[in-house]
Amino acid sequence: MLQACDIEFSYGKTPILEGVNIAVAPGERVALSAPSGRGKTTLCKILSGYDEPQKGTVTVDGAPLPRKGVSPVQMIWQHPERMLDPLMTMEKSLAECPCDAATLAALREEIGVRDEWLTRRPRELSGGELQRFCIVRALACSPRYLICDEISTMLDALTQADLWKRLLRWADETGAGLVTVTHSPMLRDRIATRVVEL
Ligand SMILES: Nc1ncnc2c1ncn2[C@@H]1O[C@H](COP(=O)(O)OP(=O)(O)OP(=O)(O)O)[C@@H](O)[C@H]1O
């Protein structure tokens, strides 16, 4: 169980999250819902350990998220181009993944990363192609929980559908829990088994 208890978070003196509690079971698909600016991305960053709350705890099966090493909670972001080194080929970016070559090849196949993209740098790929790499990098960490913050907002409907089909298949196969943020009610209805209002 991924659990955030009594979370408080402020940017400077501006409180963003106060007394937030959320629990996600393995295999569950939770959609976070709230108006713009309420703190969905902030909570995603806290759940995946990128930001520390000023108060409260985040645990997986009762254990705090590790400060070093590979975390059981991985996050995929809205802007994949910001998450990749612009000078590195995609092959080199993937080489940093903490898994063996066979697992990586299987994930590339599962998420639809084509071989001819591997020798390119981020500026030579589309947003959808880059997002597939970011997804593979996250899945290569064998996460038990995956946090998806508007990961398909910038994609056309067909690419969006294909990407989510693949991601949900992976989640079914692994039993991972998902937390997703989307402003699309249609996508939320398709993905979520539970909606949490923030
Ligand atoms: N680094 C930061 N420094 C100061 N304020 C910030 C910072 N990041 C976000 N904020 C503010 O915190 C609030 C919550 O932001 P957040 O991105 O978590 O909201 P959100 O619910 O995800 O919004 P949206 O749906 O528009 O993406 C916003 O008012 C935002 O301006």
Side-chain angles (χ1 to χ4, degrees):
M1 180 84 78
L2 169 63
Q3 229 166 347
C5 290
D6 208 13
I7 299 294
E8 279 185 26
F9 187 89
S10 311
Y11 288 112
K13 289 193 173 150
T14 313
I16 305 295
L17 302 172
E18 289 181 295
V20 172
N21 292 287
I22 182 172
V24 184
E28 239 194 330
R29 298 171 186 171
V30 170
L32 284 183
S33 176
S36 196
R38 184 63 65 79
K40 299 180 296 296
T41 294
T42 304
L43 181 58
C44 285
K45 288 195 279 187
I46 289 170
L47 286 173
S48 52
Y50 282 91
D51 278 339
E52 287 262 342
Q54 279 94 14
K55 192 173 163 237
T57 54
V58 179
T59 54
V60 171
D61 294 342
L65 297 181
R67 287 177 181 274
K68 283 185 184 167
V70 181
S71 172
V73 185
Q74 294 290 319
M75 179 162 169
I76 306 169
W77 306 69
Q78 181 178 2
H79 299 285
E81 68 283 359
R82 294 185 196 163
M83 307 315 298
L84 295 158
D85 184 331
L87 300 177
M88 259 196 207
T89 62
M90 303 316 293
E91 198 162 25
K92 281 210 172 127
S93 282
L94 287 186
E96 293 175 343
C97 291
C99 69
D100 59 47
T103 306
L104 199 55
L107 283 172
R108 276 183 6 225
E109 169 87 27
E110 190 163 9
I111 301 301
V113 165
R114 293 204 201 130
D115 288 348
E116 67 255 35
W117 299 341
L118 290 172
T119 51
R120 299 192 204 163
R121 290 180 172 75
R123 67 170 184 280
E124 296 163 331
L125 290 163
S126 74
E129 291 161 0
L130 285 178
Q131 194 60 295
R132 285 179 205 266
F133 275 100
C134 288
I135 292 171
V136 167
R137 289 204 324 169
L139 303 192
C141 298
S142 306
R144 295 174 54 206
Y145 296 90
L146 194 61
I147 315 293
C148 302
D149 186 14
E150 295 191 57
I151 65 168
S152 59
T153 306
M154 71 304 191
L155 305 176
D156 66 83
L158 270 182
T159 309
Q160 198 173 83
D162 179 65
L163 215 145
W164 274 108
K165 187 183 77 188
R166 292 168 185 270
L167 207 43
L168 294 180
R169 191 165 54 204
W170 169 86
D172 274 344
E173 283 165 7
T174 60
L178 290 185
V179 176
T180 182
V181 175
T182 170
H183 288 286
S184 156
M186 227 167 65
L187 195 58
R188 190 176 55 216
D189 289 349
R190 168 148 185 251
I191 297 167
T193 50
R194 182 159 62 95
V195 177
V196 170
E197 300 285 340
L198 205 55

